[in-house]
Amino acid sequence: MTTATATTTATATAIPEAERGEVSQLKVIHSEWIKLRSLRSTLFTLLAAVVAMIGLGYLFSYFTADRWSHLPADERLNFDPTLTSLRGFFLAQLAVGVLGVLVVSGEYATGMIRASLSAVPRRLPVLWAKALVFGAVTWVLMTIAALIAFLIGQAVLSGHHLGTSLGSPGVLRAVLGAGLYLTVLGLIGVALGALIRNTAGGIATLFGVLLVLPVLAEALPSSWFNAINKYLPSTAGQGLIRVHQAAHTLSPWSGFAVFCLYAVITLAGAAVALKRRDA
C-alpha cells in the first residue's frame, strides 16, 4: 500500500460515517421527491387527474340535475348524490395509474435506474421511497380534488333539492375514500412498474386487472359472478366511495382492506424481483 493510499484510508476511517454521506432512507426519499417534482409528466398527469375529478364531477351533477324529471323511476330511487359528484374518479384513476407505472418504468427506459441503484446498493430503499413519495403526493392531491368535486357537485344538485352534506351518514367516508382508493391504485401502479419494468406492459396489466377483468367476470353464471366479483380489486376498492353498499359486495372497509392486500402483495413481488434481477 502506498503512502497516499494509506493516508486516504486512514482519513476516511477517521471521518464519522454520517459525515461521509451515509445513504439513509430519508435521503433516498428526498432524492425521489426531487425527481418526481422535476418531471413535467408528473405535473401534467396529476393536473389531468385533478381536472378530471373536479370537471367530470361538475358535469355529471349538472346533467343529472338538469334531466332529473326525465330519469326513469329506478334511477331516481337508486340516486346517490355523493357518488354522482365523485364520478370523475373513473377517469382520474387512469392518470394516476399510468403515472404510478411511469415512476419506475420510466427510469428503466432511460437507464437512470442504474444510477439510482448504484447510489443505493441495497435497492429496496429506492422502491420504498418511490412508493412513499408518490403515494403521499397522490393522497394529498386526490383527497383535495375529491373534496372540491363534492362541494361543487352538491352546490349544483342542491339547487334542485337533490344534494347532501358531509355530515350525512357515509358521505365523509366516501369523499375521503376516493383519495384513498386512488392512492392505493397508484401504489399498485408503482409496484407493477418495478415488477414488469416496461411502461406498456405495466399499464396494460394494471388496467387489464382493474377494468377488463370485471367485464369478463360478468360472462360467468350469476352465482359465480356474485361470489367472485366482490373480491376483484376494482370492486373491493371502489366500495369505499359508495354511500350505499351494493348487493353482493364486501362492506366498504373490508373491501378496501382487500384492495390494500393486492397492493401489498404486488409491492412484495416487486421487492423480490428488484433484489434478484439485474438493473
Side-chain angles (χ1 to χ4, degrees):
M1 180 182 294
T2 64
T3 304
T5 304
T7 302
T8 302
T9 303
T11 303
T13 305
I15 298 174
E17 190 176 25
E19 294 181 15
R20 282 181 287 165
E22 178 190 6
V23 178
S24 65
Q25 184 68 70
L26 190 60
K27 289 182 179 179
V28 180
I29 291 172
H30 183 253
S31 174
E32 291 301 327
W33 164 243
I34 293 174
K35 283 192 285 186
L36 185 67
R37 65 184 174 85
S38 63
L39 293 174
R40 288 187 178 180
S41 60
T42 300
L43 174 63
F44 293 144
T45 307
L46 289 176
L47 180 61
V50 170
V51 170
M53 194 76 181
I54 298 174
L56 289 180
Y58 167 77
L59 290 176
F60 275 111
S61 299
Y62 174 81
F63 287 118
T64 298
D66 188 59
R67 297 184 59 254
W68 180 256
S69 60
H70 302 288
L71 293 178
D74 60 330
E75 288 190 28
R76 284 186 281 180
L77 182 64
N78 297 317
F79 174 64
D80 183 350
T82 303
L83 183 60
T84 299
S85 61
L86 297 176
R87 286 284 186 188
F89 86 87
F90 281 107
L91 189 56
Q93 71 179 346
L94 301 182
V96 171
V98 167
L99 186 58
V101 173
L102 280 171
V103 164
V104 183
S105 66
E107 289 199 26
Y108 278 101
T110 61
M112 183 182 290
I113 192 67
R114 295 187 184 91
S116 297
L117 298 182
S118 296
V120 189
R122 287 183 297 163
R123 295 192 172 196
L124 291 186
V126 175
L127 177 61
W128 307 144
K130 287 181 181 296
L132 179 62
V133 170
F134 183 69
V137 171
T138 301
W139 177 74
V140 171
L141 288 180
M142 292 300 99
T143 300
I144 293 173
L147 181 59
I148 294 174
F150 172 80
L151 295 176
I152 292 177
Q154 298 315 306
V156 173
L157 292 170
S158 294
H160 295 73
H161 308 289
L162 300 172
T164 186
S165 67
L166 286 172
S168 299
V171 172
L172 182 60
R173 182 256 301 158
V175 174
L176 298 180
L180 291 173
Y181 168 77
L182 291 170
T183 300
V184 176
L185 184 146
L187 292 178
I188 293 176
V190 171
L192 288 175
L195 190 60
I196 299 175
R197 304 195 299 182
N198 177 273
T199 301
I203 293 172
T205 302
L206 178 63
F207 293 115
V209 171
L210 289 175
L211 304 179
V212 178
L213 196 57
V215 176
L216 295 178
E218 292 180 0
L220 297 172
S222 59
S223 59
W224 291 17
F225 174 76
N226 292 336
I228 294 173
N229 181 58
K230 59 186 175 182
Y231 294 108
L232 295 180
S234 56
T235 305
Q238 291 172 16
L240 199 62
I241 310 176
R242 299 178 182 275
V243 172
H244 306 293
Q245 184 178 348
H248 306 293
T249 60
L250 300 172
S251 64
W253 289 111
S254 296
F256 184 66
V258 170
F259 190 50
C260 289
L261 182 60
Y262 281 108
V264 170
I265 292 172
T266 312
L267 281 168
V272 172
L274 189 62
K275 289 286 286 185
R276 292 184 175 181
R277 294 188 304 202
D278 294 332

